């Protein structure tokens, strides 16, 4: 494997879906949904195969040789700026490329079934491919700017896909909201990049890392740059205060939600931090900020998820909350643990969304059969008892629920537990406590969702329930594959206290070449120094206990005695309403940001532009006009006047000359 | 032939104008065809400028052409082209056929309408190739007249107000500039053969020999800067622009946004900065402040506009603010970005005005509230409008991003705080443009007047094709342009340092 032999396959990973998008955009509408979907799936599937092939070769390389920077030519070279089109292959970018293309392939496949009856299928698949292209470019980009191309590209695609059904003003508006909020984050990213360039003269990862190498821990430059870049991450990865676009993003077709929430887009912020680990490791203040924001988001979003009635909305807030965990991990310097959760979460969250899509698809079908277009097919209050009707969906969904709730031995347990352990071991016990609480809430709202949707009896009546049938294989196959992954992926990163067979933490080892720089090692040693098998066991049991508590409460409230949940809501009507209203953060932003900006713009337009400036301009013109009219009287056209004036003038001149 | 190419490209439009004059006004299709053909010839004539341009000497004036004109008065017919002029001339000659093709629906006094564009072309190309201050001034004023008529005759209901406002605003600036030009002329003696001295209007000579003390330089800079700032337009002398745009016919708007505004920014980099470096540095904080205000203010005012064209017009105020910020970064990255962004703005905003023209021709209104849901009725138009909005917003991979990025990167090095404020314009751009897109293209197709609209036809698509290709090309591969712009910018910076 060499840079030369790598150039083509590496470029193919992002370019194949781009090609798919172009083909579908140009010719897709002349085909049918199956063909168009097959093309799109083949394009992204091709990327996955290429990435897999590279991975297989990659594993045989010596550890220190696992970094390739491929340069494809100049982008902008002027003055001291030299930016190239370059792609970077290292364990981190390869890991991302693998799970992005893998999960995206499954989502494309699923979409063939889900969007089969959609008239604008070609546009849909073109966008989906474009999305994958942008995300793969983001992670493979060899410098900050190529990354930024993908970074803004996923923002664009989310805009296009969330507003896919643009005839609905609310959906179009949600798309715009996503783009604008993301742009606020991008603003931070750009400033961070400018700051790095202004001080280090480069936007190449490698050169920036070298430039940082000599700086002491806590230096202002890495701190400021890390914080600015983190603003970008809060936008892309939906953290406080810029998380507000993500829950609205469910306006798009459900497979798109799966793509945005699992494999692409939201994982970008975490990738960015991991890519800049050398920066963050030098900036304890920035790291602490990341950790606090992460923990707060994890807890905050989980509370909103408790009461939502829309099946996708619960999942949306659970994504925000889970992303909070990942940032928490990053914030305590446990990059690998955070990334491990990124990967396992990609599997089970994709599965959850696709499962929810499967339910919604079936509900739609039933409502269509009974000619009901009023009821909301996403409202869990209309569901119930679907386990019998949609068995594959149910069983796979169950796996994902257990995984996200954090029960062993499914994937979510290992990754989440690893994070909580690292947080505790680095001495951030208040943050650990927040994470633990969020874990209990997660278990509660996920099982609430499971029970409301799949257990009990169908709330639309027996007659209607007969119309249900399980979705076709093209949709259930991705569910089953993801279920297997959600169940077993945890073993890839087994914590050492559970590693009875001495497999080793393969995940950690794979990423080791990326994170073994000096400052990162210091953080690792801090954890290892606290290493204590008994404590680790205790913490693990503790989080299982909390998860069990959540499960039992959800079971009691939503399965055994549903009246208890209503009673609880009635006992605290204000709190319940607050939660339903998502703490009214959107309303707060509306009042504090949107309205004032709009009012100020209006004032600029009316008072300053039309009033002040044009008032002055038109006033000057009027003055000139008036003056002109005044002077015009002098030119009356009558000879005597002129003669008089002339005489006066001559007299004046003479007077001037003679009085000298 | 290359010795004469600059006068050729400059004056061929006048020849074309005369040829058009020979065609009877009733021959509508012949007029259109001939105009388009002649526009394409002009573009073709300008292409050798690109191919024969010596990139290694991009910082120097090439294709130089110099003939004594009125030697007694010290002006000569001096033309030349460096990398900066090159890209702007090509932008002009490219937009000419594009505009002519887009003017197919004009019926009122078509002949004069088409002829005015050719007169315009001579003026604009002349501005970018002139190396003599008088020659420059003549071309500068020449552009004023056809635009005045284009707005005043083919404009909307308030065309007279807009035309007069445009004329007076720009005249005010130009007159002061003329005074300054004369002042420079009288205050500079250039050595000539035989050990004597002479006065001159020649820019390269003046750049060597003109010197003025602080206060004088400041006044002179002020006179030039006012003329240029009005043209750009910078806040707070921008209010002629929205009126001119709203009233101007589509082609006029494209010329206005595409090229005329660039004459202002070009004036700064070609004349004001290198002639008066000390004054430039003195007023730098003021200019940067005005640029930043223009960026934010233009964007904010843009948000609340109800007329699509006015919205795009105010977006120009914001975008040109970026260009000014880049110029006053006074480093290679920022200034090259600014020149690149002049081209990009011409492409993106020109295309946006053309897109507005497409729906205006169909509905005879530009009120955003009259539209909504057009995407389902006119998918091709929706793609075009969205694409150029994204290019205007500065989406990476498209043209707008490259210039904007280099401007901000360069200006951050010298003015970090102002740049941070300016960068909020990037957020606001997404707000005003995407909100407009949302209200025009998305939502239900509820207005019955829009329910039978035809999507764009082949001719209309062809209008956008060259701009579309350029938008992607410059977004992905701006290097060929930068190879030409960069050295010219370095030369300017060198001049500023040495004087």
């Amino acid at each position: 494997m060499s840079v030369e032999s790598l150039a083509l396959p590496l470029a193919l990973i992002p370019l194949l879906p781009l090609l798919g998008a172009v083909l579908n955009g140009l010719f897709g509408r002349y085909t049918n949904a199956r063909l168009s979907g097959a093309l799109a799936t083949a394009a992204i599937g091709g990327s996955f195969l290429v990435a897999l092939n590279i991975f297989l070769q990659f594993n045989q390389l010596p550890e220190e040789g696992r970094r390739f920077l491929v340069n494809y030519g100049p982008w902008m070279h002027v003055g001291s700026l030299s930016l190239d089109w370059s792609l970077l292959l290292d364990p981190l970018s390869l890991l991302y490329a693998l799970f992005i293309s893998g999960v995206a392939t499954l989502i494309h496949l699923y979409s063939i079934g889900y969007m089969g009856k959609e008239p604008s299928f070609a546009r849909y698949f073109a966008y989906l491919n474009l999305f994958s292209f942008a995300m793969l470019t983001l992670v493979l980009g060899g410098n900050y700017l190529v990354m930024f191309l993908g970074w803004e590209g996923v923002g664009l695609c989310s805009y296009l896909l969330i507003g896919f059904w643009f005839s609905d003003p609310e959906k179009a508006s949600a798309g715009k909201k996503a783009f604008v909020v993301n742009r606020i984050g991008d603003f931070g990213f750009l400033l961070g990049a400018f700051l790095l360039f202004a001080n280090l003269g480069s936007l190449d990862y490698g050169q920036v890392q070298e430039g940082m190498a000599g700086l002491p821990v806590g230096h202002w430059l890495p701190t400021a740059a890390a914080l600015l870049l983190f603003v970008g991450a809060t936008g892309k990865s939906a953290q406080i205060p810029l998380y507000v676009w993500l829950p609205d993003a469910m306006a798009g077709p459900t497979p798109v939600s799966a793509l945005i929430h699992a494999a692409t887009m939201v994982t970008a912020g975490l990738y960015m931090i991991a890519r800049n680990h050398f920066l963050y490791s030098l900036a304890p203040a920035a790291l602490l900020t990341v950790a606090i924001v992460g923990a707060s988001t994890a807890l905050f979003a989980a509370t909103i998820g408790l009461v939502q009635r829309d099946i996708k909305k619960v999942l949306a807030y659970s994504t925000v909350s889970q992303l909070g965990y990942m940032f928490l991990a990053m914030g305590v310097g446990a990059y690998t643990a955070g990334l491990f959760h990124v990967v396992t979460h990609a599997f089970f969250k994709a599965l959850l969304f696709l499962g929810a899509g499967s339910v919604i698809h079936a509900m739609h079908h039933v409502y269509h059969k009974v000619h009901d277009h009023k009821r909301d097919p996403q409202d869990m209050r209309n569901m119930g008892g679907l386990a019998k009707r949609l068995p594959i969906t149910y069983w796979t969904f169950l796996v994902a629920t257990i995984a996200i709730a954090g029960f062993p031995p499914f994937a979510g347990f290992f990754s989440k537990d690893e994070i909580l352990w690292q947080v505790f071991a680095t001495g951030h016990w208040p943050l650990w406590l927040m994470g633990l609480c969020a874990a209990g809430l997660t278990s509660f709202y996920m099982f609430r969702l499971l029970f409301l949707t799949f257990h009990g009896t169908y709330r639309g009546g027996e007659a209607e329930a007969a119309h249900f049938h399980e979705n076709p294989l093209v949709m259930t196959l991705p569910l089953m594959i993801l279920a297997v992954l959600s169940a077993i992926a945890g073993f890839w990163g087994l914590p050492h206290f559970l590693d009875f067979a001495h497999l080793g933490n393969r995940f950690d080892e794979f990423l080791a070449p990326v994170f073994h720089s000096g400052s990162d090692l210091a953080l690792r040693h801090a954890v290892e120094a606290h290493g204590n098998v008994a404590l680790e066991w205790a913490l693990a049991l503790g989080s299982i206990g909390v998860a069990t508590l959540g499960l039992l409460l959800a079971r009691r409230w939503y399965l055994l005695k549903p009246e208890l949940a209503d009673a609880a809501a009635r006992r605290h009507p204000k709190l319940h309403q607050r939660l339903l209203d998502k703490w009214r953060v959107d309303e707060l932003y509306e009042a504090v940001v949107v309205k004032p900006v709009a009012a100020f713009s209006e004032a600029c337009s009316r008072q300053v532009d039309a009033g002040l400036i044009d008032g002055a301009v038109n006033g000057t013109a009027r003055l000139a006009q008036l003056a002109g009219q005044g002077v015009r009287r002098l030119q009356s056209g009558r000879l005597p006047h002129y003669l008089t004036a002339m005489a006066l003038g001559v007299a004046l001149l003479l007077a001037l000359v003679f009085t000298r | 032939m290359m010795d004469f190419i600059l006068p050729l490209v400059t004056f061929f439009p006048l020849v074309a104008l005369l040829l058009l004059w020979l065609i009877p006004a009733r021959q509508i299709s012949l007029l259109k065809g001939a105009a388009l053909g002649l526009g394409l010839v002009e573009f073709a004539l300008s292409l050798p400028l690109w191919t024969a341009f010596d990139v290694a000497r991009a910082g120097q004036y090439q294709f130089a052409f110099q003939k004594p004109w009125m030697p007694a008065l010290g002006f000569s017919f001096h033309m030349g082209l460096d990398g900066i002029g090159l890209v702007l001339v090509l932008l002009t000659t490219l937009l000419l056929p594009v505009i002519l093709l887009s003017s197919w629906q004009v019926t009122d006094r078509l002949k004069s309408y088409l002829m005015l564009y050719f007169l315009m072309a001579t003026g604009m190309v002349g501005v970018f190739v002139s190396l003599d201050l008088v020659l420059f001034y003549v071309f500068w004023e020449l552009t004023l007249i056809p635009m005045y008529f284009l707005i005043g005759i083919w404009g909307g209901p308030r065309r007279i107000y807009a035309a007069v406002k445009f004329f007076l605003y720009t005249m005010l600036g130009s007159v002061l500039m003329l005074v300054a030009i004369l002042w420079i002329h009288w205050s500079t003696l250039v050595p000539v053969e035989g050990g004597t001295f002479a006065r001159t209007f020649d820019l390269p000579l003046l750049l060597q020999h003109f010197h003025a003390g602080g206060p004088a330089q400041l006044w002179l800079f002020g006179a030039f800067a006012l003329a240029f700032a009005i043209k750009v337009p910078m806040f707070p002398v921008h209010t002629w622009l929205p009126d001119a745009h709203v009233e101007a016919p589509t082609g006029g708007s494209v010329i206005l946004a595409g090229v005329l505004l660039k004459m202002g920014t070009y004036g700064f980099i070609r004349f004001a900065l290198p002639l008066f470096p000390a004054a430039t540095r003195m007023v730098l904080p003021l200019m940067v402040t005005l640029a930043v205000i223009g960026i934010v203010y233009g964007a904010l005012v843009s948000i609340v506009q109800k007329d699509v064209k006015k919205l795009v017009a105010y977006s120009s105020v914001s975008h040109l603010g970026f260009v000014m910020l880049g110029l006053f970064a006074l480093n290679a990255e920022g200034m090259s970005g600014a020149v690149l962004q002049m081209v990009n703005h011409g492409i993106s905003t020109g295309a946006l005005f053309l897109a507005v023209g497409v729906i205006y021709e169909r509905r005879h209104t530009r009120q955003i509230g009259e539209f909504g849901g057009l995407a389902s009725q006119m998918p091709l138009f929706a793609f075009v409008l969205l694409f150029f909005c994204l290019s205007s917003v500065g989406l990476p991979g498209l043209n707008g991003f490259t210039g904007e990025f280099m401007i901000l990167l360069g200006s951050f090095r010298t003015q970090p705080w102002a740049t941070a404020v300016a960068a909020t314009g990037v957020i606001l751009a997404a707000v005003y443009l995407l909100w407009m897109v949302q209200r025009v293209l998305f939502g239900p197709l509820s207005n019955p007047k829009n329910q039978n609209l035809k999507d764009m036809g082949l001719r209309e698509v062809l209008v956008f094709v060259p701009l579309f290709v350029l938008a992607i090309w410059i977004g992905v591969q701006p290097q060929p342009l930068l190879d030409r712009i960069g050295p010219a910018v370095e030369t300017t910076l060198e001049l500023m340092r040495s004087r």
Side-chain angles (χ1 to χ4, degrees):
Chain A
M1 210 178 196
S2 65
V3 169
E4 290 76 33
S5 68
L6 203 58
L8 179 66
L10 194 59
L12 278 180
I13 297 177
L15 288 185
L16 279 175
L18 180 65
L19 183 69
V22 171
L23 287 179
N24 249 326
L26 289 177
F27 311 113
R29 77 190 101 152
Y30 307 113
T31 63
N32 57 41
R34 273 172 180 278
L35 204 60
S36 160
L39 170 73
T41 312
I44 182 68
S47 292
F48 176 67
L49 291 180
V50 173
L52 194 65
N53 186 32
I54 291 178
F55 173 72
L56 294 176
Q57 299 175 38
F58 202 68
N59 265 342
Q60 290 152 17
L61 294 173
E63 253 193 32
E64 60 279 6
R66 295 183 183 179
R67 190 178 188 282
F68 298 90
L69 185 67
V70 187
N71 194 333
Y72 294 91
W75 187 1
M76 294 177 227
H77 280 225
V78 71
S80 57
L81 175 70
S82 55
L83 274 167
D84 293 313
W85 287 104
S86 61
L87 296 180
L88 173 66
L89 181 75
D90 72 347
L92 178 61
S93 63
L94 183 56
L95 171 76
Y96 260 80
L98 273 173
F99 84 77
I100 290 166
S101 57
V103 173
T105 305
L106 295 175
I107 292 171
H108 277 66
L109 185 65
Y110 175 97
S111 294
I112 299 178
Y114 192 87
M115 300 296 277
K117 294 201 174 63
E118 165 62 46
S120 309
F121 56 86
R123 185 163 57 93
Y124 174 80
F125 282 111
Y127 289 171
L128 217 53
N129 262 192
L130 195 65
F131 205 144
S132 314
F133 155 74
M135 191 64 199
L136 289 166
T137 309
L138 192 161
V139 298
L140 288 170
N143 57 46
Y144 287 90
L145 213 60
V146 179
M147 180 204 242
F148 191 67
L149 175 88
W151 186 267
E152 284 255 295
V154 292
L156 165 71
C157 294
S158 67
Y159 165 74
L160 295 171
L161 280 165
I162 294 165
F164 181 73
W165 288 303
F166 55 76
S167 304
D168 181 344
E170 235 175 76
K171 293 185 169 155
S173 181
K176 190 200 67 187
K177 181 175 176 181
F179 194 83
V180 171
V181 172
N182 265 293
R183 270 248 153 164
I184 298 175
D186 300 347
F187 165 77
F189 185 110
L190 269 184
L191 289 186
F194 294 152
L195 191 68
L196 289 175
F197 182 80
N199 288 283
L200 304 172
S202 176
L203 284 175
D204 240 47
Y205 297 137
Q207 288 176 20
V208 170
Q209 185 164 5
E210 274 169 34
M212 286 284 165
L215 297 181
V217 174
H219 189 269
W220 72 270
L221 178 61
T223 306
L227 283 172
L228 283 170
L229 291 173
F230 179 57
V231 173
T234 59
K236 204 69 40 183
S237 293
Q239 295 297 290
I240 292 174
L242 296 181
Y243 71 91
V244 287
W245 65 273
L246 189 61
D248 288 23
M250 53 164 232
T254 307
V256 171
S257 311
L259 196 58
I260 291 180
H261 287 254
T264 62
M265 187 99 178
V266 295
T267 59
L270 294 145
Y271 171 79
M272 195 270 295
I273 291 187
R275 177 55 73 208
N276 286 296
H277 63 93
F278 52 88
L279 243 167
Y280 283 87
S281 295
L282 284 177
L287 273 181
L288 188 63
T289 312
V290 173
I292 291 173
V293 168
S296 314
T297 309
L299 191 57
F300 176 79
T303 60
I304 300 175
L306 296 177
V307 297
Q308 298 303 317
R309 289 157 182 160
D310 186 312
I311 183 168
K312 280 174 80 177
K313 206 143 226 176
V314 177
L315 294 178
Y317 280 102
S318 99
T319 303
V320 178
S321 169
Q322 294 296 309
L323 289 166
Y325 276 110
M326 301 170 202
F327 277 100
L328 176 57
M330 297 284 173
V332 300
Y335 305 114
T336 318
L339 291 174
F340 191 37
H341 201 51
V342 169
V343 176
T344 61
H345 178 259
F347 296 146
F348 59 69
K349 186 50 66 68
L351 177 52
L352 286 171
F353 264 106
L354 294 183
S358 172
V359 169
I360 294 164
H361 200 64
M363 294 285 288
H364 252 299
H365 176 75
V366 170
Y367 285 174
H368 186 70
K369 274 273 154 72
V370 301
H371 305 292
D372 185 338
H373 303 292
K374 289 214 186 74
R375 274 180 297 169
D376 182 357
Q378 298 185 189
D379 193 328
M380 291 187 293
R381 287 173 299 182
N382 296 333
M383 301 173 186
L386 297 185
K388 288 192 293 286
R389 316 286 173 188
L390 308 168
I392 301 176
T393 306
Y394 170 67
W395 283 106
T396 52
F397 205 93
L398 182 64
V399 172
T401 307
I402 298 173
I404 190 176
F407 288 101
F410 288 2
F413 167 74
F414 295 110
S415 51
K416 193 191 295 188
D417 203 57
E418 177 75 10
I419 291 176
L420 289 175
W421 156 243
Q422 301 259 17
V423 174
F424 193 87
T426 47
H428 300 84
W429 64 267
L431 298 177
W432 168 82
L433 196 62
M434 287 165 85
L436 191 70
C437 290
L441 297 178
T442 307
S443 170
F444 172 80
Y445 68 66
M446 281 314 300
F447 279 103
R448 168 180 175 267
L449 186 155
L450 187 81
F451 295 143
L452 281 176
T453 308
F454 291 101
H455 289 245
T457 50
Y458 179 61
R459 286 180 281 277
E462 267 311 302
E464 203 176 282
H467 291 297
F468 276 104
H469 46 76
E470 182 59 274
N471 288 300
L473 184 67
V474 68
M475 287 170 69
T476 50
L477 182 68
L479 296 181
M480 293 186 276
I481 296 173
L482 285 168
V484 173
L485 289 171
S486 302
I488 62 165
F491 293 96
W492 200 24
L494 219 50
H496 58 92
F497 77 103
L498 288 172
D499 188 9
F500 306 119
H502 298 285
L503 296 168
N505 189 334
R506 304 290 291 273
F507 190 82
D508 209 33
E509 287 163 20
F510 180 68
L511 286 176
V514 180
F515 296 114
H516 272 191
S517 69
S519 47
D520 302 324
L521 280 177
L523 282 163
R524 290 169 70 89
H525 290 154
V527 174
E528 273 156 24
H530 283 78
N532 179 338
V533 176
L535 187 64
E536 237 174 300
W537 269 103
L539 288 180
L541 290 175
S543 52
I544 296 173
V546 168
T548 314
L549 225 61
L551 161 67
L552 290 177
L553 187 65
R555 180 161 167 268
R556 188 171 157 77
W557 279 17
Y558 296 97
L559 203 57
L560 304 178
K561 294 185 174 161
E563 65 279 5
L564 280 181
D566 294 334
R570 268 197 304 278
R571 254 201 316 280
H572 306 286
K574 267 197 182 151
L575 179 66
H576 187 243
Q577 193 57 41
R578 267 289 151 88
L579 289 176
L580 266 182
D581 293 345
K582 303 153 237 159
W583 297 108
R584 302 211 185 130
V585 174
D586 276 317
E587 287 77 0
L588 179 76
Y589 286 178
E590 181 80 22
V592 177
V593 182
V594 180
K595 286 234 172 84
V597 169
F600 185 64
S601 305
E602 196 67 50
C604 282
S605 177
R606 279 177 203 282
Q607 263 81 42
V608 182
D609 226 60
L612 197 68
I613 301 176
D614 256 5
V617 171
N618 292 337
T620 314
R622 178 115 354 110
L623 208 66
Q625 222 168 24
L626 283 176
Q629 266 160 9
V631 178
R632 200 177 62 175
R633 277 187 213 163
L634 297 178
Q635 300 186 341
S636 59
R638 288 161 67 178
L639 205 57
H641 282 181
Y642 291 147
L643 288 173
T644 318
M646 219 168 97
L648 281 174
V650 171
L652 195 69
L653 270 177
L654 286 173
L656 276 175
V657 171
F658 282 104
T659 49
R660 268 260 163 110
Chain B
M1 180 221 166
M2 295 321 279
D3 293 342
F4 297 97
I5 189 156
L6 286 181
L8 181 67
V9 174
T10 310
F11 293 112
F12 175 76
L14 284 188
V15 178
L17 184 153
L18 290 175
L19 290 176
L20 282 179
W21 182 60
L22 295 175
I23 301 174
R26 280 168 289 111
Q27 304 270 24
I28 301 283
S29 16
L30 181 62
L31 271 173
K32 286 186 203 166
L36 179 62
L38 290 165
L40 286 170
V41 171
E42 164 73 356
F43 179 56
L45 284 176
S46 69
L47 283 181
L49 293 177
W50 177 268
T51 48
F53 191 83
D54 183 0
V55 182
R57 297 190 304 122
Q60 296 158 37
Y61 293 111
Q62 305 185 23
F63 315 116
F65 178 88
Q66 189 160 21
K67 284 275 173 298
W69 189 8
M70 287 182 227
L73 293 177
F75 47 84
S76 70
F77 203 96
H78 191 182
M79 290 177 162
L81 202 62
D82 68 351
I84 299 171
L86 174 73
V87 296
L88 291 170
V89 167
L90 286 172
L91 174 70
T92 310
T93 55
L94 171 84
L95 284 178
L96 181 67
V98 166
I99 289 162
L100 294 169
L101 186 60
S102 79
S103 306
W104 236 235
Q105 305 292 329
V106 174
T107 48
D108 179 30
R109 282 168 278 190
L110 177 72
K111 188 169 155 181
S112 333
Y113 183 79
L114 296 172
M115 282 162 68
L116 283 174
Y117 282 112
F118 283 95
L119 185 58
M120 199 75 217
T122 289
M124 296 184 299
V125 173
V127 162
F128 297 133
V129 299
S130 295
L131 293 181
D132 183 278
L133 289 180
V134 172
L135 196 60
F136 166 75
Y137 186 77
V138 169
F139 284 121
W140 172 274
E141 292 292 292
L142 180 60
T143 60
L144 203 54
I145 298 154
M147 187 46 83
Y148 174 74
F149 285 118
L150 278 173
I151 298 173
I153 298 177
W154 288 270
R158 294 176 72 227
R159 55 181 179 269
I160 301 297
Y161 172 74
V164 172
K165 196 173 181 181
F166 163 75
F167 196 86
L168 288 184
Y169 244 117
T170 27
M171 266 313 272
L172 171 72
S174 324
V175 168
L176 291 176
M177 179 167 73
L178 182 62
V179 175
I181 288 175
L182 293 175
W183 207 97
I184 294 172
H185 174 72
W186 287 112
S187 67
T188 311
L189 281 173
V190 177
V192 287
E193 288 159 53
T196 56
F197 290 87
R199 300 187 199 284
T200 183
F201 287 103
D202 192 71
L203 180 67
L205 287 178
L206 286 172
L207 283 173
Q208 283 176 37
H209 301 287
F210 166 70
H211 294 285
Q217 219 184 87
L218 208 54
W219 282 107
L220 292 171
F221 177 86
F224 271 82
L226 183 66
F228 297 146
I230 288 174
K231 207 71 161 186
V232 169
M234 290 187 82
F235 178 90
V237 286
H238 65 277
T239 59
W240 63 271
L241 185 74
D243 283 312
H245 267 310
V246 168
E247 302 305 325
T250 299
S253 283
V254 177
I255 284 283
L256 198 55
V259 186
L260 278 195
L261 308 187
K262 311 304 152 23
M263 286 167 38
T265 45
Y266 172 81
F268 274 104
I269 194 169
R270 173 71 75 233
F271 301 99
L273 301 192
L275 277 173
F276 319 112
T280 301
R281 274 179 221 108
M282 256 187 276
V283 297
L284 190 80
L286 175 71
M287 299 304 278
V288 169
T289 309
L290 288 180
V292 172
I293 292 178
I295 291 169
V296 177
Y297 179 89
L300 286 175
V301 175
S302 194
I303 294 175
V304 295
Q305 296 308 314
K306 296 182 175 68
D307 180 310
V308 191
K309 229 176 165 186
K310 212 162 185 173
L311 188 149
V312 180
Y314 276 107
S315 85
S316 286
V317 175
S318 184
H319 280 123
L320 270 294
F322 277 111
V323 175
M324 292 308 297
L325 185 68
L327 289 184
F328 281 87
L330 300 186
N331 55 32
E333 300 87 22
M335 290 170 83
S336 305
V339 176
L340 186 63
Q341 197 65 351
M342 292 185 209
V343 178
N344 289 333
H345 178 264
I347 293 168
S348 309
T349 308
L352 283 179
F353 279 121
L354 288 168
V356 176
V358 169
I359 48 172
Y360 183 74
E361 272 176 14
R362 285 164 174 68
R363 284 290 323 279
H364 298 287
T365 179
R366 288 180 300 245
Q367 294 299 309
I368 295 175
E370 284 284 314
F371 299 103
L374 291 192
S376 41
Q377 186 66 27
M378 305 172 68
L380 210 52
F381 170 73
F383 174 79
V384 167
L385 182 64
L386 185 59
F387 177 85
F388 285 106
C389 279
L390 292 171
S391 108
S392 187
V393 161
L395 187 80
L398 299 181
N399 58 340
F401 174 71
T402 49
E404 204 169 83
F405 173 77
M406 286 165 57
I407 288 172
L408 291 172
L409 183 88
S411 106
F412 190 90
R413 296 179 66 187
T414 48
Q415 312 275 349
W417 295 106
T419 307
V421 179
T424 59
V426 176
I427 304 172
L428 294 172
V431 175
Y432 62 75
L433 279 174
L434 292 188
W435 194 36
M436 184 270 284
V437 164
Q438 184 187 338
R439 288 174 294 164
V440 171
L441 296 182
F442 302 152
L445 189 67
S446 46
N447 190 335
K449 289 180 196 154
N450 295 331
Q451 281 163 2
N452 294 313
L453 291 183
K454 271 211 187 85
D455 205 348
M456 300 201 307
L458 180 63
R459 177 189 60 85
E460 288 171 313
V461 172
L462 281 179
V463 168
F464 289 100
V465 167
L467 304 177
F468 176 81
V469 172
L470 276 176
I472 294 178
W473 183 60
I474 299 179
V476 176
Q477 204 45 265
Q479 200 52 43
L481 288 179
L482 293 177
D483 284 340
R484 288 158 176 84
I485 295 169
V489 164
E490 300 271 14
T491 307
T492 310
L493 282 170
E494 193 47 49
L495 273 171
M496 289 187 69
R497 272 192 291 269
S498 66
R499 283 167 49 77

